[in-house]
Amino acid sequence: MLAAVLVVALIGSAAAASASAPQSKTYIAYTSGGNTSSVWIANANGSDPHRIAAGDGPLISPNGAYVAIQHFAQSGVALELYSTTGKLLAGYFNSARDNATALAWSPNSQYLAVSLSSTSTKGGGALGLIDTTTLESRVVTTGVIAGASFNPAGTQLVYGLSGSVQLSSPTNLYVAGVTGGGTAQLTTNGDSFEPVWARSGIVFDRSTPRGVSKAPIYQLWIETAGKLRQLTHLRVPALLSGLAPLEASADGNRLIAEYGGEDTSYAWTVQLSPLEVKPLRVAGEPINAEEVQGAQISSDGKRLLVDVGGLEHAPDKGKVESVGFGGGTATRLAAGSQPSWSS
């Protein structure tokens, strides 16, 4: 019933659209433009850029076949799914009620997890799941969603969930099957969110309050076979929070994370074995609040996709770049922000 309310448009033949989406070469997607932003697609090296549609927040599928684009219009759909050739496949959710953010693709590109922040659903939001084989969507759960990630097999989804928009409301991790069925609660501490499901385990944030004048501290933890282990013990300034994991390499040993807080968003790298956590240093770029923001890590863990200089500026003021996991000299790919790739 709720899924029927949230899905406001379905365009074209679902079966035909899915069948016509072949395995594609590697692409990057990004947002560009001044007052009106649009999503662009280019080859992995930045060549042959072409505009897909108005919108922002693109998230391209691992197989390079699909790109999800979000909209913030007063009316219409809140999220659209395109093929990377530019064909509109489907539109989802009502933008008058819901803000839709594409959170994660399953590794096999069949499923897309979408966070909805809404005034029309219980708890202020919901977690949606789009199936590219049917182009249909369903609601996994309602509430405030704090991150989501698929297991390497693409059969399960872990997500952070709070029952209220109140900051004091407990947030825990839950696991659900992508085809429905039972949901299991993974944590009970009330301070767990932003999970990334890697082969090495589920990496996530736990927060520790520091009083009304200071932001809570976020530290990285990992859950493996039912056991929890703290990964970071960072000293964090009062107005900053710490690290949030973004994505893991295919073998689960390397992650890209973001160090955030007030007016701050900067890329860090995390290696699990041997454990090494450090800020990403891009040659010629200072480590500060307005420079290198993390986006994604390549499947082999050797390269990172970053947004340089795009924070709090128009999208075309940023630079989409690729840099090695250890930092160093970056390769410029495009003028834009909010990058995503199918690497």
Side-chain angles (χ1 to χ4, degrees), residues 128-183:
L129 192 67
I130 295 171
D131 186 340
T132 62
T133 63
T134 62
L135 294 186
E136 295 179 352
S137 72
R138 69 178 180 89
V139 168
V140 176
T141 189
T142 57
V144 178
I145 305 304
S149 181
F150 292 88
N151 70 338
T155 58
Q156 292 181 297
L157 179 68
V158 61
Y159 54 90
L161 176 67
S162 175
S164 169
V165 295
Q166 298 295 324
L167 294 178
S168 59
S169 179
T171 304
N172 282 297
L173 301 184
Y174 297 79
V175 174
V178 297
T179 58
T183 298

Side-chain angles (χ1 to χ4, degrees), residues 27-343:
Y27 292 105
I28 58 169
Y30 55 94
T31 303
S32 192
N35 295 329
T36 302
S37 59
S38 296
V39 170
W40 289 66
I41 296 284
N43 294 328
N45 61 2
S47 64
D48 190 27
H50 53 281
R51 181 181 181 274
I52 294 293
D56 58 14
L59 191 63
I60 198 166
S61 61
N63 67 358
Y66 310 102
V67 60
I69 299 174
Q70 62 189 50
H71 298 278
F72 294 102
Q74 294 299 313
S75 62
V77 297
L79 183 138
E80 289 179 334
L81 186 66
Y82 282 81
S83 71
T84 45
T85 61
K87 180 181 179 180
L88 175 61
L89 301 178
Y92 303 90
F93 317 117
N94 187 336
S95 63
R97 296 193 304 266
D98 311 301
N99 289 330
T101 302
L103 294 181
W105 282 97
S106 62
N108 61 6
S109 301
Q110 181 176 351
Y111 297 102
L112 173 66
V114 180
S115 172
L116 301 173
S117 56
S118 170
T119 59
S120 62
T121 57
K122 178 183 177 182
L127 178 63
L129 192 67
I130 295 171
D131 186 340
T132 62
T133 63
T134 62
L135 294 186
E136 295 179 352
S137 72
R138 69 178 180 89
V139 168
V140 176
T141 189
T142 57
V144 178
I145 305 304
S149 181
F150 292 88
N151 70 338
T155 58
Q156 292 181 297
L157 179 68
V158 61
Y159 54 90
L161 176 67
S162 175
S164 169
V165 295
Q166 298 295 324
L167 294 178
S168 59
S169 179
T171 304
N172 282 297
L173 301 184
Y174 297 79
V175 174
V178 297
T179 58
T183 298
Q185 185 169 344
L186 188 63
T187 66
T188 58
N189 45 48
D191 60 8
S192 301
F193 50 96
E194 299 297 340
V196 169
W197 201 326
R199 290 195 179 277
S200 49
I202 298 173
V203 179
F204 63 97
D205 265 330
R206 291 188 65 178
S207 65
T208 302
R210 292 188 286 180
V212 295
S213 62
K214 297 181 179 180
I217 293 180
Y218 298 166
Q219 302 286 5
L220 296 183
W221 288 65
I222 188 169
E223 187 275 342
T224 306
K227 296 182 179 180
L228 297 179
R229 176 167 62 96
Q230 187 170 349
L231 295 174
T232 63
H233 299 80
L234 298 179
R235 296 173 63 89
V236 181
L239 298 181
L240 303 182
S241 295
L243 291 177
L246 299 179
E247 191 178 47
S249 60
D251 65 3
N253 191 45
R254 289 180 169 182
L255 297 95
I256 183 171
E258 198 74 359
Y259 189 98
E262 183 174 332
D263 298 324
T264 299
S265 184
Y266 197 89
W268 281 49
T269 59
V270 180
Q271 181 172 275
L272 298 182
S273 181
L275 183 62
E276 187 174 45
V277 182
K278 61 183 181 180
L280 178 66
R281 298 184 182 274
V282 177
E285 302 291 350
I287 296 179
N288 61 42
E290 297 184 356
E291 293 306 323
V292 183
Q293 300 169 73
Q296 290 184 266
I297 186 171
S298 61
S299 59
D300 63 9
K302 295 180 179 180
R303 304 290 295 178
L304 303 175
L305 184 67
V306 297
D307 174 356
V308 178
L311 182 65
E312 299 181 346
H313 297 287
D316 57 1
K317 300 300 182 183
K319 296 179 292 183
V320 177
E321 297 185 346
S322 171
V323 65
F325 184 81
T329 302
T331 300
R332 183 170 178 176
L333 303 176
S337 299
Q338 302 175 332
S340 173
W341 64 10
S342 56
S343 174

